[in-house]
Amino acid sequence: MADRKQTKQQLLAEVATLRHHLAALQTARIEAERIVETVREPLLVLTADLHIISANAAFYHTFHVTPEETEHQLLYELGTGQWDIPALRRLLEEVLPTDAPVRDFEVRHTFPTIGQKVMLLNARRIPHDGSAPRILLAIEDITERWRAARLLQQRSEWFTVTLTSIGDAVIATDTQAVVTFMNPEAERLTGWPSQEALGRDITEVLILCSEETRQVVENPVLRVLRTGIVAGLGNHTLLLSRDGREIPIADSGAPIRGTDGTLHGVVMVFRDITERAVLEGNLLRAKDAAEAANRAKSEFLATMSHELRTPLSVIIGYTELMLEGTFGAVTAGESRILQRVRENAVELLDLITAMLDVSRLEAGRLPVHVQEEWLPALIEEVKTETQEVWERTQLALVIQAADSFPPLYTDPAKLKVVLKNLLRNAVKFTPQGSITVQWQSWEGGVAIQVTDTGIGIPADALTLIFEPFRQVETEGRGTQHGTGLGLYITKRLVELLGGTVEVESAVGKGSTFRVWVPVGSAPT
Ligand code: ADP
């Protein structure tokens, strides 16, 4: 009796323990199920012959399918058969017999509803009721990660191709000044092959010194790391290559920063400027030589002109005296010859004077003497001084003056040369008709116009005539004496006075030269 009672109590105790275990098991199962439901990774539980027993919410959500379409189906027959991948099938079939888990098997597939997905599959055997083991298949969606990695790879390929093909040398370092990248041009200049340079300190690979002192200068990478700002080398920096070459370079180093501003390293870009340095040197020497030659030419011309003018003036003077009969009567024949001597000598003198002006102008040695001038008086002087020119022509000279006129502050001698040149040209190129001189106030200055009814200038020659030694050569212009320097000097003188000169012309009708000079201000 006592035994039976004891046995019953024992049984009751065991039942209680069992119940307790059962309850614990149930709780554990519910918890496990909850966990399975909560994980964001799609999970499938499969039988040994790969029938789907269950799937979690993440699976349905990710692949846009329902439990009805999924449960009890054969994995390979799911949907449009997208899981029917021979390699996966082989792997899964091995999971149960060998107990070898499938790890990170990458599957790329385009699903009709959700498009292309890249997934990592992991599978392992889970013990189940002893007899029929199951397979847990976890599917990790790595599409985004895969895309980002691909983009990163494309970018890095793009950078590598770009940096490899550009002509500039590029070296990058990390924040410890350790070389992390070098392009072929940097390899060529430094003499360090990339494989050897990577991992070394920048000061070992890129040694720079000053061209003048030959002292090693602070490496710009260190400066950028120290200051965090873009740094360039001073001028005249030499790179000392590993094989002993000295290469003049120009460069700049810039910090590499992340989007949050943290420093990741430094990139140095530099280039070999040997050719540029040689060219600059040559150019400088050529410029000095040209300037010296130009100075010598101007000085020579000035001296020569001066020396030539004196004897010419003597020739002209004596010829005129002979023409006037000072040394006895001259016959008509002799007079003609003397006149030709005089004309040619005067022309030569004009040419020499013009040359002298040009050389002074070009040497910048023509000082401007500003004084107060009343334009009508100046024009009157010009008229008187060109009297002999008028006397030889039948041309009418018309002078049209503005009514009132403010005084002008300018260099009258130069303005007179300008006006005389224009008048002489007008007379020279006008067989008949008239020449009109007009002036008026115009935009803070005075505009003086010389208009003729002459042969005119073709449009394509309008700018050329202001260049030295340029004369218009067209039929019917006859042979006019001249140097081709008159308008060049005119333009340069007007510019010296702060003014402008322009021309309008019609062939066969005549030309108008318009000079504008500023009113100026009284000299202090
Ligand atoms: P030149 O000593 O030959 O006159 P310029 O420099 O004064 O030299 O003039 C250059 C050329 O411009 C002249 O040879 C002439 O062909 C042309 N030219 C200048 N002024 C006139 C004008 N008023 N009418 C027609 N042609 C002119």
Side-chain angles (χ1 to χ4, degrees):
M1 200 49 207
D3 276 359
R4 278 183 58 196
K5 203 173 166 187
Q6 204 181 359
T7 314
K8 194 177 164 197
Q9 266 174 350
Q10 260 177 350
L11 270 173
L12 279 173
E14 273 171 26
V15 169
T17 321
L18 271 174
R19 275 217 185 102
H20 179 71
H21 282 312
L22 202 65
L25 261 174
Q26 215 145 16
T27 318
R29 215 194 70 208
I30 293 168
E31 266 175 15
E33 274 172 5
R34 281 207 189 121
I35 291 170
V36 167
E37 279 308 299
T38 326
V39 286
R40 299 240 291 268
E41 212 167 279
L43 297 172
L44 284 178
V45 179
L46 307 167
T47 59
D49 57 359
L50 304 180
H51 272 90
I52 296 163
I53 296 169
S54 63
N56 69 348
F59 181 86
Y60 297 126
H61 177 76
T62 308
F63 297 101
H64 296 200
V65 284
T66 60
E68 294 74 51
E69 292 169 298
T70 312
E71 280 168 19
H72 312 300
Q73 299 289 321
L74 198 59
L75 177 67
Y76 309 131
E77 286 169 4
L78 265 192
T80 51
Q82 58 260 26
W83 299 100
D84 189 8
I85 304 162
L88 173 69
R89 185 192 282 235
R90 243 191 338 272
L91 280 168
L92 287 178
E93 280 165 5
E94 276 171 18
V95 169
L96 289 176
T98 63
D99 203 8
V102 174
R103 285 222 174 86
D104 291 342
F105 179 72
E106 192 179 303
V107 175
R108 219 174 294 170
H109 184 77
T110 307
F111 293 87
T113 40
I114 51 174
Q116 200 196 33
K117 288 271 167 205
V118 185
M119 295 158 292
L120 277 188
L121 304 189
N122 281 280
R124 63 168 53 249
R125 185 162 80 157
I126 39 173
H128 192 265
D129 297 348
S131 57
R134 307 261 158 106
I135 300 170
L136 177 69
L137 178 62
I139 305 162
E140 191 185 350
D141 180 0
I142 56 157
T143 315
E144 286 313 312
R145 207 198 307 161
W146 179 80
R147 283 206 185 112
R150 202 170 60 159
L151 200 68
L152 207 67
Q153 195 191 351
Q154 281 170 350
R155 284 260 171 90
S156 106
E157 275 163 13
W158 187 87
F159 275 124
T160 312
V161 169
T162 310
L163 293 177
T164 308
S165 36
I166 59 170
D168 282 352
V170 180
I171 297 185
T173 73
D174 63 12
T175 49
Q176 303 304 306
V178 170
V179 177
T180 53
F181 174 86
M182 241 173 128
N183 76 345
E185 180 64 1
E187 290 181 331
R188 188 182 76 79
L189 293 184
T190 58
W192 281 85
S194 205
Q195 315 92 287
E196 282 190 55
L198 298 190
R200 282 179 196 267
D201 196 275
I202 186 76
T203 51
E204 252 185 280
V205 178
L206 186 69
I207 304 166
L208 304 168
C209 78
S210 144
E211 193 182 310
E212 289 151 34
T213 62
R214 304 274 150 170
Q215 296 283 313
V216 172
V217 295
E218 186 190 12
N219 197 295
V221 169
L222 300 184
R223 195 153 14 118
V224 174
L225 284 174
R226 193 160 41 77
T227 60
I229 53 173
V230 177
L233 282 176
N235 284 336
H236 310 295
T237 305
L238 294 177
L239 183 157
L240 304 181
S241 79
R242 195 184 189 186
D243 45 13
R245 286 168 298 145
E246 291 185 346
I247 308 160
I249 60 162
D251 84 313
S252 79
I256 309 170
R257 290 188 191 282
T259 39
D260 59 350
T262 46
L263 198 66
H264 294 311
V266 177
V267 63
M268 274 276 302
V269 180
F270 53 97
R271 68 166 58 143
D272 178 356
I273 57 162
T274 312
E275 264 176 44
R276 198 170 87 191
V278 170
L279 279 178
E280 274 173 7
N282 289 349
L283 217 63
L284 227 65
R285 276 190 290 282
K287 185 171 158 266
D288 286 347
E291 277 173 3
N294 202 27
R295 266 197 308 279
K297 183 203 79 182
S298 294
E299 270 158 30
F300 170 77
L301 271 176
T303 324
M304 282 303 289
S305 311
H306 195 72
E307 297 298 314
L308 287 170
R309 267 149 61 99
T310 319
L312 261 177
S313 302
V314 175
I315 292 171
I316 295 167
Y318 277 109
T319 314
E320 278 172 355
L321 288 175
M322 280 160 90
L323 273 168
E324 283 163 16
T326 314
F327 308 114
V330 283
T331 63
E334 286 168 343
S335 169
R336 257 201 318 280
I337 291 166
L338 284 174
Q339 245 158 21
R340 288 201 56 197
V341 170
R342 196 190 76 108
E343 272 168 21
N344 279 289
V346 167
E347 200 173 306
L348 201 55
L349 187 64
D350 283 350
L351 175 62
I352 291 163
T353 312
M355 297 277 277
L356 188 61
D357 285 347
V358 168
S359 64
R360 279 186 187 147
L361 267 170
E362 285 184 346
R365 280 205 303 249
L366 215 56
V368 179
H369 301 293
V370 175
Q371 63 185 64
E372 188 177 318
E373 198 58 39
W374 196 54
L375 198 61
L378 187 123
I379 302 270
E380 203 50 47
E381 279 172 41
V382 170
K383 197 176 146 192
T384 319
E385 285 168 30
T386 49
Q387 196 65 37
E388 27 119 28
V389 182
W390 300 107
E391 280 169 0
R392 280 189 268 140
T393 68
Q394 303 294 310
L395 298 169
L397 174 65
V398 184
I399 294 184
Q400 289 177 352
D403 294 342
S404 65
F405 221 82
L408 201 61
Y409 296 94
T410 190
D411 184 331
K414 294 194 174 54
L415 191 54
K416 260 158 68 172
V417 172
V418 166
L419 296 177
K420 278 189 205 169
N421 275 347
L422 295 182
L423 275 174
R424 280 207 193 95
N425 276 351
V427 171
K428 213 157 55 166
F429 298 104
T430 308
Q432 64 206 27
S434 62
I435 289 161
T436 310
V437 181
Q438 297 174 275
W439 68 89
Q440 65 189 78
S441 288
W442 186 261
E443 292 189 353
V446 50
I448 311 163
Q449 247 174 237
V450 178
T451 307
D452 63 52
T453 58
I455 58 173
I457 303 159
D460 57 359
L462 286 178
T463 48
L464 297 183
I465 54 174
F466 292 102
E467 289 174 15
F469 302 109
R470 293 302 273 259
Q471 292 177 307
V472 183
E473 283 166 24
T474 45
E475 279 180 42
R477 294 180 80 83
T479 44
Q480 295 294 344
H481 298 294
T483 58
L485 285 171
L487 285 179
Y488 171 65
I489 293 171
T490 300
K491 185 162 188 272
R492 295 288 301 258
L493 287 178
V494 171
E495 284 167 359
L496 205 62
L497 300 180
T500 55
V501 57
E502 49 194 48
V503 59
E504 256 172 51
S505 187
V507 174
K509 291 202 173 129
S511 316
T512 296
F513 284 82
R514 195 174 298 114
V515 170
W516 176 88
V517 282
V519 168
S521 50
T524 45

